[in-house]
PDB file of all heavy atoms in Angstrom:
ATOM      1  N   ARG A   1      89.085  76.381 -99.118  1.00 83.00           N
ATOM      2  CA  ARG A   1      89.567  75.373-100.129  1.00 83.00           C
ATOM      3  C   ARG A   1      88.662  75.248-101.314  1.00 83.00           C
ATOM      4  O   ARG A   1      89.129  75.319-102.498  1.00 83.00           O
ATOM      5  CB  ARG A   1      89.875  74.062 -99.506  1.00 83.00           C
ATOM      6  CG  ARG A   1      90.360  73.017-100.503  1.00 83.00           C
ATOM      7  CD  ARG A   1      90.376  71.636 -99.967  1.00 83.00           C
ATOM      8  NE  ARG A   1      90.879  70.692-100.967  1.00 83.00           N
ATOM      9  CZ  ARG A   1      90.086  70.117-101.916  1.00 83.00           C
ATOM     10  NH1 ARG A   1      88.836  70.383-102.023  1.00 83.00           N
ATOM     11  NH2 ARG A   1      90.645  69.269-102.786  1.00 83.00           N
ATOM     12  N   ASP A   2      87.414  74.998-101.017  1.00 87.00           N
ATOM     13  CA  ASP A   2      86.383  74.853-102.118  1.00 87.00           C
ATOM     14  C   ASP A   2      86.236  76.074-103.020  1.00 87.00           C
ATOM     15  O   ASP A   2      86.158  75.968-104.210  1.00 87.00           O
ATOM     16  CB  ASP A   2      85.102  74.351-101.616  1.00 87.00           C
ATOM     17  CG  ASP A   2      85.250  72.924-100.977  1.00 87.00           C
ATOM     18  OD1 ASP A   2      86.151  72.270-101.294  1.00 87.00           O
ATOM     19  OD2 ASP A   2      84.288  72.519-100.269  1.00 87.00           O
ATOM     20  N   VAL A   3      86.190  77.212-102.362  1.00 89.00           N
ATOM     21  CA  VAL A   3      86.070  78.458-103.150  1.00 89.00           C
ATOM     22  C   VAL A   3      87.298  78.688-104.023  1.00 89.00           C
ATOM     23  O   VAL A   3      87.284  79.138-105.177  1.00 89.00           O
ATOM     24  CB  VAL A   3      85.842  79.712-102.243  1.00 89.00           C
ATOM     25  CG1 VAL A   3      85.942  81.009-102.999  1.00 89.00           C
ATOM     26  CG2 VAL A   3      84.408  79.625-101.573  1.00 89.00           C
ATOM     27  N   LYS A   4      88.421  78.374-103.456  1.00 89.00           N
ATOM     28  CA  LYS A   4      89.680  78.465-104.268  1.00 89.00           C
ATOM     29  C   LYS A   4      89.637  77.566-105.516  1.00 89.00           C
ATOM     30  O   LYS A   4      90.136  77.930-106.554  1.00 89.00           O
ATOM     31  CB  LYS A   4      90.881  78.171-103.354  1.00 89.00           C
ATOM     32  CG  LYS A   4      92.237  78.349-104.065  1.00 89.00           C
ATOM     33  CD  LYS A   4      93.394  78.081-103.117  1.00 89.00           C
ATOM     34  CE  LYS A   4      94.762  78.259-103.894  1.00 89.00           C
ATOM     35  NZ  LYS A   4      95.897  78.028-103.017  1.00 89.00           N
ATOM     36  N   LYS A   5      89.115  76.349-105.260  1.00 87.00           N
ATOM     37  CA  LYS A   5      89.005  75.415-106.354  1.00 87.00           C
ATOM     38  C   LYS A   5      88.080  75.883-107.457  1.00 87.00           C
ATOM     39  O   LYS A   5      88.294  75.710-108.636  1.00 87.00           O
ATOM     40  CB  LYS A   5      88.608  74.014-105.939  1.00 87.00           C
ATOM     41  CG  LYS A   5      89.756  73.233-105.274  1.00 87.00           C
ATOM     42  CD  LYS A   5      89.410  71.741-105.015  1.00 87.00           C
ATOM     43  CE  LYS A   5      89.450  71.025-106.346  1.00 87.00           C
ATOM     44  NZ  LYS A   5      90.769  70.967-106.962  1.00 87.00           N
ATOM     45  N   ILE A   6      87.005  76.518-107.022  1.00 89.00           N
ATOM     46  CA  ILE A   6      86.078  77.052-108.020  1.00 89.00           C
ATOM     47  C   ILE A   6      86.766  78.111-108.822  1.00 89.00           C
ATOM     48  O   ILE A   6      86.597  78.344-110.056  1.00 89.00           O
ATOM     49  CB  ILE A   6      84.832  77.730-107.234  1.00 89.00           C
ATOM     50  CG1 ILE A   6      84.044  76.625-106.608  1.00 89.00           C
ATOM     51  CG2 ILE A   6      84.068  78.586-108.153  1.00 89.00           C
ATOM     52  CD1 ILE A   6      83.301  75.760-107.632  1.00 89.00           C
ATOM     53  N   SER A   7      87.620  78.938-108.154  1.00 91.00           N
ATOM     54  CA  SER A   7      88.299  80.034-108.794  1.00 91.00           C
ATOM     55  C   SER A   7      89.294  79.519-109.913  1.00 91.00           C
ATOM     56  O   SER A   7      89.369  79.940-110.979  1.00 91.00           O
ATOM     57  CB  SER A   7      89.127  80.884-107.809  1.00 91.00           C
ATOM     58  OG  SER A   7      89.947  81.848-108.460  1.00 91.00           O
ATOM     59  N   THR A   8      90.026  78.515-109.470  1.00 88.00           N
ATOM     60  CA  THR A   8      91.171  78.001-110.360  1.00 88.00           C
ATOM     61  C   THR A   8      90.587  76.925-111.303  1.00 88.00           C
ATOM     62  O   THR A   8      91.010  76.937-112.530  1.00 88.00           O
ATOM     63  CB  THR A   8      92.277  77.301-109.564  1.00 88.00           C
ATOM     64  OG1 THR A   8      91.668  76.269-108.682  1.00 88.00           O
ATOM     65  CG2 THR A   8      92.992  78.337-108.696  1.00 88.00           C
ATOM     66  N   ASP A   9      89.625  76.143-110.906  1.00 87.00           N
ATOM     67  CA  ASP A   9      89.197  75.026-111.827  1.00 87.00           C
ATOM     68  C   ASP A   9      87.918  75.331-112.601  1.00 87.00           C
ATOM     69  O   ASP A   9      87.691  74.838-113.710  1.00 87.00           O
ATOM     70  CB  ASP A   9      88.951  73.751-110.987  1.00 87.00           C
ATOM     71  CG  ASP A   9      90.304  73.190-110.396  1.00 87.00           C
ATOM     72  OD1 ASP A   9      91.319  73.739-110.796  1.00 87.00           O
ATOM     73  OD2 ASP A   9      90.283  72.246-109.633  1.00 87.00           O
ATOM     74  N   TYR A  10      87.067  76.159-111.933  1.00 91.00           N
ATOM     75  CA  TYR A  10      85.815  76.448-112.636  1.00 91.00           C
ATOM     76  C   TYR A  10      85.827  77.754-113.363  1.00 91.00           C
ATOM     77  O   TYR A  10      85.613  77.812-114.592  1.00 91.00           O
ATOM     78  CB  TYR A  10      84.619  76.492-111.596  1.00 91.00           C
ATOM     79  CG  TYR A  10      83.240  76.690-112.242  1.00 91.00           C
ATOM     80  CD1 TYR A  10      82.546  75.589-112.785  1.00 91.00           C
ATOM     81  CD2 TYR A  10      82.759  77.945-112.407  1.00 91.00           C
ATOM     82  CE1 TYR A  10      81.284  75.792-113.359  1.00 91.00           C
ATOM     83  CE2 TYR A  10      81.497  78.145-113.052  1.00 91.00           C
ATOM     84  CZ  TYR A  10      80.735  77.062-113.434  1.00 91.00           C
ATOM     85  OH  TYR A  10      79.569  77.243-114.105  1.00 91.00           O
ATOM     86  N   PHE A  11      86.107  78.824-112.625  1.00 93.00           N
ATOM     87  CA  PHE A  11      86.167  80.145-113.340  1.00 93.00           C
ATOM     88  C   PHE A  11      87.166  80.172-114.426  1.00 93.00           C
ATOM     89  O   PHE A  11      86.891  80.680-115.522  1.00 93.00           O
ATOM     90  CB  PHE A  11      86.516  81.237-112.206  1.00 93.00           C
ATOM     91  CG  PHE A  11      86.614  82.613-112.812  1.00 93.00           C
ATOM     92  CD1 PHE A  11      85.495  83.399-112.911  1.00 93.00           C
ATOM     93  CD2 PHE A  11      87.849  83.090-113.257  1.00 93.00           C
ATOM     94  CE1 PHE A  11      85.653  84.713-113.514  1.00 93.00           C
ATOM     95  CE2 PHE A  11      87.999  84.372-113.828  1.00 93.00           C
ATOM     96  CZ  PHE A  11      86.896  85.178-113.935  1.00 93.00           C
ATOM     97  N   ASP A  12      88.384  79.734-114.183  1.00 91.00           N
ATOM     98  CA  ASP A  12      89.452  79.731-115.226  1.00 91.00           C
ATOM     99  C   ASP A  12      89.049  78.894-116.422  1.00 91.00           C
ATOM    100  O   ASP A  12      89.385  79.181-117.519  1.00 91.00           O
ATOM    101  CB  ASP A  12      90.827  79.314-114.673  1.00 91.00           C
ATOM    102  CG  ASP A  12      91.508  80.390-113.784  1.00 91.00           C
ATOM    103  OD1 ASP A  12      90.988  81.598-113.969  1.00 91.00           O
ATOM    104  OD2 ASP A  12      92.369  80.032-113.000  1.00 91.00           O
ATOM    105  N   SER A  13      88.437  77.775-116.116  1.00 90.00           N
ATOM    106  CA  SER A  13      88.039  76.787-117.204  1.00 90.00           C
ATOM    107  C   SER A  13      86.940  77.419-118.153  1.00 90.00           C
ATOM    108  O   SER A  13      87.005  77.360-119.305  1.00 90.00           O
ATOM    109  CB  SER A  13      87.491  75.468-116.576  1.00 90.00           C
ATOM    110  OG  SER A  13      88.625  74.884-116.028  1.00 90.00           O
ATOM    111  N   VAL A  14      85.895  78.084-117.517  1.00 92.00           N
ATOM    112  CA  VAL A  14      84.864  78.650-118.246  1.00 92.00           C
ATOM    113  C   VAL A  14      85.421  79.844-119.128  1.00 92.00           C
ATOM    114  O   VAL A  14      85.128  79.933-120.342  1.00 92.00           O
ATOM    115  CB  VAL A  14      83.752  79.137-117.370  1.00 92.00           C
ATOM    116  CG1 VAL A  14      82.701  79.939-118.133  1.00 92.00           C
ATOM    117  CG2 VAL A  14      83.051  78.034-116.669  1.00 92.00           C
ATOM    118  N   CYS A  15      86.232  80.729-118.461  1.00 93.00           N
ATOM    119  CA  CYS A  15      86.853  81.798-119.203  1.00 93.00           C
ATOM    120  C   CYS A  15      87.820  81.224-120.290  1.00 93.00           C
ATOM    121  O   CYS A  15      87.786  81.834-121.429  1.00 93.00           O
ATOM    122  CB  CYS A  15      87.621  82.686-118.226  1.00 93.00           C
ATOM    123  SG  CYS A  15      86.570  83.706-117.161  1.00 93.00           S
ATOM    124  N   GLY A  16      88.450  80.160-119.996  1.00 89.00           N
ATOM    125  CA  GLY A  16      89.454  79.630-120.911  1.00 89.00           C
ATOM    126  C   GLY A  16      88.765  79.088-122.119  1.00 89.00           C
ATOM    127  O   GLY A  16      89.268  79.225-123.297  1.00 89.00           O
ATOM    128  N   ILE A  17      87.692  78.317-121.880  1.00 89.00           N
ATOM    129  CA  ILE A  17      86.908  77.697-123.011  1.00 89.00           C
ATOM    130  C   ILE A  17      86.400  78.814-123.987  1.00 89.00           C
ATOM    131  O   ILE A  17      86.441  78.711-125.147  1.00 89.00           O
ATOM    132  CB  ILE A  17      85.727  76.891-122.492  1.00 89.00           C
ATOM    133  CG1 ILE A  17      86.294  75.603-121.855  1.00 89.00           C
ATOM    134  CG2 ILE A  17      84.748  76.492-123.582  1.00 89.00           C
ATOM    135  CD1 ILE A  17      85.259  74.770-121.137  1.00 89.00           C
ATOM    136  N   TYR A  18      85.855  79.962-123.356  1.00 91.00           N
ATOM    137  CA  TYR A  18      85.401  81.042-124.195  1.00 91.00           C
ATOM    138  C   TYR A  18      86.569  81.671-124.982  1.00 91.00           C
ATOM    139  O   TYR A  18      86.465  81.923-126.201  1.00 91.00           O
ATOM    140  CB  TYR A  18      84.769  82.096-123.273  1.00 91.00           C
ATOM    141  CG  TYR A  18      84.368  83.373-124.104  1.00 91.00           C
ATOM    142  CD1 TYR A  18      83.338  83.398-125.010  1.00 91.00           C
ATOM    143  CD2 TYR A  18      85.107  84.561-123.936  1.00 91.00           C
ATOM    144  CE1 TYR A  18      83.046  84.471-125.758  1.00 91.00           C
ATOM    145  CE2 TYR A  18      84.803  85.670-124.678  1.00 91.00           C
ATOM    146  CZ  TYR A  18      83.679  85.640-125.550  1.00 91.00           C
ATOM    147  OH  TYR A  18      83.385  86.755-126.301  1.00 91.00           O
ATOM    148  N   ARG A  19      87.747  81.851-124.332  1.00 89.00           N
ATOM    149  CA  ARG A  19      88.869  82.471-125.005  1.00 89.00           C
ATOM    150  C   ARG A  19      89.370  81.599-126.193  1.00 89.00           C
ATOM    151  O   ARG A  19      89.611  82.092-127.261  1.00 89.00           O
ATOM    152  CB  ARG A  19      89.962  82.726-124.008  1.00 89.00           C
ATOM    153  CG  ARG A  19      91.341  83.111-124.584  1.00 89.00           C
ATOM    154  CD  ARG A  19      92.342  83.350-123.564  1.00 89.00           C
ATOM    155  NE  ARG A  19      92.587  82.164-122.687  1.00 89.00           N
ATOM    156  CZ  ARG A  19      93.314  81.074-123.086  1.00 89.00           C
ATOM    157  NH1 ARG A  19      93.921  81.097-124.236  1.00 89.00           N
ATOM    158  NH2 ARG A  19      93.488  80.139-122.186  1.00 89.00           N
ATOM    159  N   VAL A  20      89.484  80.213-125.926  1.00 85.00           N
ATOM    160  CA  VAL A  20      90.135  79.432-126.938  1.00 85.00           C
ATOM    161  C   VAL A  20      89.139  79.283-128.097  1.00 85.00           C
ATOM    162  O   VAL A  20      89.485  78.952-129.202  1.00 85.00           O
ATOM    163  CB  VAL A  20      90.627  78.136-126.416  1.00 85.00           C
ATOM    164  CG1 VAL A  20      91.659  78.322-125.390  1.00 85.00           C
ATOM    165  CG2 VAL A  20      89.448  77.296-125.764  1.00 85.00           C
ATOM    166  N   THR A  21      87.778  79.298-127.755  1.00 85.00           N
ATOM    167  CA  THR A  21      86.714  79.155-128.767  1.00 85.00           C
ATOM    168  C   THR A  21      86.845  80.289-129.735  1.00 85.00           C
ATOM    169  O   THR A  21      86.793  80.159-131.006  1.00 85.00           O
ATOM    170  CB  THR A  21      85.356  79.048-128.130  1.00 85.00           C
ATOM    171  OG1 THR A  21      85.261  77.910-127.318  1.00 85.00           O
ATOM    172  CG2 THR A  21      84.253  78.924-129.179  1.00 85.00           C
ATOM    173  N   THR A  22      86.904  81.515-129.238  1.00 89.00           N
ATOM    174  CA  THR A  22      86.936  82.731-130.092  1.00 89.00           C
ATOM    175  C   THR A  22      88.261  82.617-130.882  1.00 89.00           C
ATOM    176  O   THR A  22      88.348  82.992-132.080  1.00 89.00           O
ATOM    177  CB  THR A  22      86.868  84.031-129.282  1.00 89.00           C
ATOM    178  OG1 THR A  22      87.982  83.985-128.224  1.00 89.00           O
ATOM    179  CG2 THR A  22      85.533  84.121-128.540  1.00 89.00           C
ATOM    180  N   SER A  23      89.396  82.239-130.226  1.00 85.00           N
ATOM    181  CA  SER A  23      90.688  82.155-130.878  1.00 85.00           C
ATOM    182  C   SER A  23      90.582  81.053-132.024  1.00 85.00           C
ATOM    183  O   SER A  23      91.103  81.301-133.164  1.00 85.00           O
ATOM    184  CB  SER A  23      91.783  81.739-129.893  1.00 85.00           C
ATOM    185  OG  SER A  23      92.966  81.527-130.547  1.00 85.00           O
ATOM    186  N   PHE A  24      89.868  79.921-131.783  1.00 82.00           N
ATOM    187  CA  PHE A  24      89.845  78.903-132.779  1.00 82.00           C
ATOM    188  C   PHE A  24      89.057  79.399-134.007  1.00 82.00           C
ATOM    189  O   PHE A  24      89.435  79.217-135.181  1.00 82.00           O
ATOM    190  CB  PHE A  24      89.131  77.695-132.172  1.00 82.00           C
ATOM    191  CG  PHE A  24      88.812  76.604-133.170  1.00 82.00           C
ATOM    192  CD1 PHE A  24      89.795  75.810-133.593  1.00 82.00           C
ATOM    193  CD2 PHE A  24      87.465  76.437-133.626  1.00 82.00           C
ATOM    194  CE1 PHE A  24      89.496  74.799-134.529  1.00 82.00           C
ATOM    195  CE2 PHE A  24      87.148  75.464-134.520  1.00 82.00           C
ATOM    196  CZ  PHE A  24      88.202  74.663-134.982  1.00 82.00           C
ATOM    197  N   ILE A  25      87.904  80.070-133.795  1.00 86.00           N
ATOM    198  CA  ILE A  25      87.016  80.534-134.864  1.00 86.00           C
ATOM    199  C   ILE A  25      87.793  81.527-135.739  1.00 86.00           C
ATOM    200  O   ILE A  25      87.846  81.399-137.009  1.00 86.00           O
ATOM    201  CB  ILE A  25      85.728  81.189-134.267  1.00 86.00           C
ATOM    202  CG1 ILE A  25      84.904  80.132-133.624  1.00 86.00           C
ATOM    203  CG2 ILE A  25      85.009  81.926-135.446  1.00 86.00           C
ATOM    204  CD1 ILE A  25      83.718  80.763-132.918  1.00 86.00           C
ATOM    205  N   VAL A  26      88.465  82.544-135.064  1.00 87.00           N
ATOM    206  CA  VAL A  26      89.203  83.512-135.837  1.00 87.00           C
ATOM    207  C   VAL A  26      90.379  82.858-136.642  1.00 87.00           C
ATOM    208  O   VAL A  26      90.626  83.201-137.794  1.00 87.00           O
ATOM    209  CB  VAL A  26      89.750  84.639-134.930  1.00 87.00           C
ATOM    210  CG1 VAL A  26      90.605  85.593-135.650  1.00 87.00           C
ATOM    211  CG2 VAL A  26      88.549  85.390-134.234  1.00 87.00           C
ATOM    212  N   THR A  27      91.110  81.938-135.991  1.00 81.00           N
ATOM    213  CA  THR A  27      92.195  81.321-136.617  1.00 81.00           C
ATOM    214  C   THR A  27      91.825  80.423-137.794  1.00 81.00           C
ATOM    215  O   THR A  27      92.507  80.419-138.804  1.00 81.00           O
ATOM    216  CB  THR A  27      93.053  80.462-135.541  1.00 81.00           C
ATOM    217  OG1 THR A  27      93.387  81.287-134.539  1.00 81.00           O
ATOM    218  CG2 THR A  27      94.299  79.823-136.186  1.00 81.00           C
ATOM    219  N   VAL A  28      90.789  79.687-137.600  1.00 82.00           N
ATOM    220  CA  VAL A  28      90.295  78.768-138.750  1.00 82.00           C
ATOM    221  C   VAL A  28      89.938  79.665-139.967  1.00 82.00           C
ATOM    222  O   VAL A  28      90.245  79.309-141.070  1.00 82.00           O
ATOM    223  CB  VAL A  28      89.107  77.977-138.313  1.00 82.00           C
ATOM    224  CG1 VAL A  28      88.351  77.347-139.506  1.00 82.00           C
ATOM    225  CG2 VAL A  28      89.521  76.845-137.357  1.00 82.00           C
ATOM    226  N   ILE A  29      89.238  80.797-139.783  1.00 85.00           N
ATOM    227  CA  ILE A  29      88.850  81.677-140.841  1.00 85.00           C
ATOM    228  C   ILE A  29      90.188  82.115-141.544  1.00 85.00           C
ATOM    229  O   ILE A  29      90.272  82.144-142.808  1.00 85.00           O
ATOM    230  CB  ILE A  29      88.082  82.854-140.349  1.00 85.00           C
ATOM    231  CG1 ILE A  29      86.725  82.396-139.856  1.00 85.00           C
ATOM    232  CG2 ILE A  29      87.893  83.877-141.499  1.00 85.00           C
ATOM    233  CD1 ILE A  29      85.969  83.378-139.155  1.00 85.00           C
ATOM    234  N   ALA A  30      91.118  82.499-140.811  1.00 81.00           N
ATOM    235  CA  ALA A  30      92.465  83.030-141.413  1.00 81.00           C
ATOM    236  C   ALA A  30      93.182  81.872-142.086  1.00 81.00           C
ATOM    237  O   ALA A  30      93.778  82.042-143.165  1.00 81.00           O
ATOM    238  CB  ALA A  30      93.301  83.613-140.355  1.00 81.00           C
ATOM    239  N   LEU A  31      93.172  80.725-141.486  1.00 78.00           N
ATOM    240  CA  LEU A  31      93.965  79.596-141.964  1.00 78.00           C
ATOM    241  C   LEU A  31      93.404  78.993-143.296  1.00 78.00           C
ATOM    242  O   LEU A  31      94.161  78.539-144.141  1.00 78.00           O
ATOM    243  CB  LEU A  31      94.156  78.473-140.961  1.00 78.00           C
ATOM    244  CG  LEU A  31      95.259  77.487-141.143  1.00 78.00           C
ATOM    245  CD1 LEU A  31      96.610  78.076-141.391  1.00 78.00           C
ATOM    246  CD2 LEU A  31      95.296  76.510-139.884  1.00 78.00           C
ATOM    247  N   ILE A  32      92.107  79.053-143.338  1.00 81.00           N
ATOM    248  CA  ILE A  32      91.432  78.471-144.573  1.00 81.00           C
ATOM    249  C   ILE A  32      91.862  79.413-145.715  1.00 81.00           C
ATOM    250  O   ILE A  32      92.141  78.891-146.896  1.00 81.00           O
ATOM    251  CB  ILE A  32      89.935  78.585-144.361  1.00 81.00           C
ATOM    252  CG1 ILE A  32      89.450  77.417-143.465  1.00 81.00           C
ATOM    253  CG2 ILE A  32      89.183  78.436-145.721  1.00 81.00           C
ATOM    254  CD1 ILE A  32      87.999  77.446-143.067  1.00 81.00           C
ATOM    255  N   ARG A  33      91.986  80.649-145.488  1.00 78.00           N
ATOM    256  CA  ARG A  33      92.357  81.538-146.570  1.00 78.00           C
ATOM    257  C   ARG A  33      93.829  81.346-146.965  1.00 78.00           C
ATOM    258  O   ARG A  33      94.209  81.499-148.161  1.00 78.00           O
ATOM    259  CB  ARG A  33      92.213  82.993-146.239  1.00 78.00           C
ATOM    260  CG  ARG A  33      90.756  83.475-145.888  1.00 78.00           C
ATOM    261  CD  ARG A  33      90.612  84.862-145.359  1.00 78.00           C
ATOM    262  NE  ARG A  33      91.157  85.833-146.336  1.00 78.00           N
ATOM    263  CZ  ARG A  33      90.474  86.392-147.327  1.00 78.00           C
ATOM    264  NH1 ARG A  33      89.267  86.106-147.569  1.00 78.00           N
ATOM    265  NH2 ARG A  33      91.040  87.297-148.134  1.00 78.00           N
ATOM    266  N   VAL A  34      94.695  80.877-145.959  1.00 75.00           N
ATOM    267  CA  VAL A  34      96.126  80.610-146.303  1.00 75.00           C
ATOM    268  C   VAL A  34      96.263  79.292-146.952  1.00 75.00           C
ATOM    269  O   VAL A  34      96.953  79.107-148.005  1.00 75.00           O
ATOM    270  CB  VAL A  34      97.009  80.858-145.057  1.00 75.00           C
ATOM    271  CG1 VAL A  34      98.473  80.491-145.377  1.00 75.00           C
ATOM    272  CG2 VAL A  34      96.801  82.284-144.477  1.00 75.00           C
ATOM    273  N   ASN A  35      95.779  78.258-146.267  1.00 74.00           N
ATOM    274  CA  ASN A  35      95.954  76.881-146.830  1.00 74.00           C
ATOM    275  C   ASN A  35      94.883  75.946-146.177  1.00 74.00           C
ATOM    276  O   ASN A  35      95.089  75.446-145.099  1.00 74.00           O
ATOM    277  CB  ASN A  35      97.403  76.366-146.462  1.00 74.00           C
ATOM    278  CG  ASN A  35      97.790  75.052-147.270  1.00 74.00           C
ATOM    279  OD1 ASN A  35      97.069  74.042-147.155  1.00 74.00           O
ATOM    280  ND2 ASN A  35      98.835  75.168-148.027  1.00 74.00           N
ATOM    281  N   PRO A  36      93.826  75.671-146.921  1.00 81.00           N
ATOM    282  CA  PRO A  36      92.701  74.822-146.397  1.00 81.00           C
ATOM    283  C   PRO A  36      93.176  73.468-145.998  1.00 81.00           C
ATOM    284  O   PRO A  36      92.589  72.846-145.099  1.00 81.00           O
ATOM    285  CB  PRO A  36      91.758  74.799-147.592  1.00 81.00           C
ATOM    286  CG  PRO A  36      92.117  75.993-148.411  1.00 81.00           C
ATOM    287  CD  PRO A  36      93.542  76.121-148.258  1.00 81.00           C
ATOM    288  N   VAL A  37      94.116  72.822-146.722  1.00 79.00           N
ATOM    289  CA  VAL A  37      94.496  71.453-146.454  1.00 79.00           C
ATOM    290  C   VAL A  37      95.103  71.376-145.011  1.00 79.00           C
ATOM    291  O   VAL A  37      94.784  70.470-144.275  1.00 79.00           O
ATOM    292  CB  VAL A  37      95.528  70.966-147.533  1.00 79.00           C
ATOM    293  CG1 VAL A  37      96.065  69.561-147.182  1.00 79.00           C
ATOM    294  CG2 VAL A  37      94.886  70.941-148.858  1.00 79.00           C
ATOM    295  N   ILE A  38      96.102  72.224-144.839  1.00 72.00           N
ATOM    296  CA  ILE A  38      96.729  72.191-143.472  1.00 72.00           C
ATOM    297  C   ILE A  38      95.701  72.531-142.364  1.00 72.00           C
ATOM    298  O   ILE A  38      95.812  72.032-141.224  1.00 72.00           O
ATOM    299  CB  ILE A  38      97.952  73.226-143.458  1.00 72.00           C
ATOM    300  CG1 ILE A  38      99.105  72.761-144.354  1.00 72.00           C
ATOM    301  CG2 ILE A  38      98.428  73.510-142.031  1.00 72.00           C
ATOM    302  CD1 ILE A  38     100.266  73.770-144.510  1.00 72.00           C
ATOM    303  N   CYS A  39      94.769  73.407-142.641  1.00 73.00           N
ATOM    304  CA  CYS A  39      93.769  73.782-141.676  1.00 73.00           C
ATOM    305  C   CYS A  39      92.911  72.508-141.327  1.00 73.00           C
ATOM    306  O   CYS A  39      92.706  72.149-140.200  1.00 73.00           O
ATOM    307  CB  CYS A  39      92.740  74.790-142.232  1.00 73.00           C
ATOM    308  SG  CYS A  39      91.458  75.241-141.175  1.00 73.00           S
ATOM    309  N   PHE A  40      92.529  71.705-142.434  1.00 77.00           N
ATOM    310  CA  PHE A  40      91.742  70.567-142.181  1.00 77.00           C
ATOM    311  C   PHE A  40      92.550  69.491-141.386  1.00 77.00           C
ATOM    312  O   PHE A  40      91.956  68.840-140.439  1.00 77.00           O
ATOM    313  CB  PHE A  40      91.346  69.903-143.567  1.00 77.00           C
ATOM    314  CG  PHE A  40      90.639  68.637-143.406  1.00 77.00           C
ATOM    315  CD1 PHE A  40      89.323  68.612-143.034  1.00 77.00           C
ATOM    316  CD2 PHE A  40      91.314  67.421-143.726  1.00 77.00           C
ATOM    317  CE1 PHE A  40      88.616  67.359-142.914  1.00 77.00           C
ATOM    318  CE2 PHE A  40      90.643  66.206-143.574  1.00 77.00           C
ATOM    319  CZ  PHE A  40      89.249  66.203-143.216  1.00 77.00           C
ATOM    320  N   ILE A  41      93.805  69.325-141.652  1.00 73.00           N
ATOM    321  CA  ILE A  41      94.649  68.316-140.964  1.00 73.00           C
ATOM    322  C   ILE A  41      94.697  68.649-139.412  1.00 73.00           C
ATOM    323  O   ILE A  41      94.583  67.820-138.602  1.00 73.00           O
ATOM    324  CB  ILE A  41      96.043  68.275-141.615  1.00 73.00           C
ATOM    325  CG1 ILE A  41      95.982  67.600-142.943  1.00 73.00           C
ATOM    326  CG2 ILE A  41      97.065  67.454-140.647  1.00 73.00           C
ATOM    327  CD1 ILE A  41      97.349  67.726-143.705  1.00 73.00           C
TER     328      ILE A  41
END
């Protein structure tokens, strides 16, 4: 049970945070170029 929770709650979370962080950085750069106001909101 505990190893399964590490897989679903810890591993997936760490990988997920890295994935969404890179996605956020790339998206913000692109969105600033399109419309900075909407990006800020």
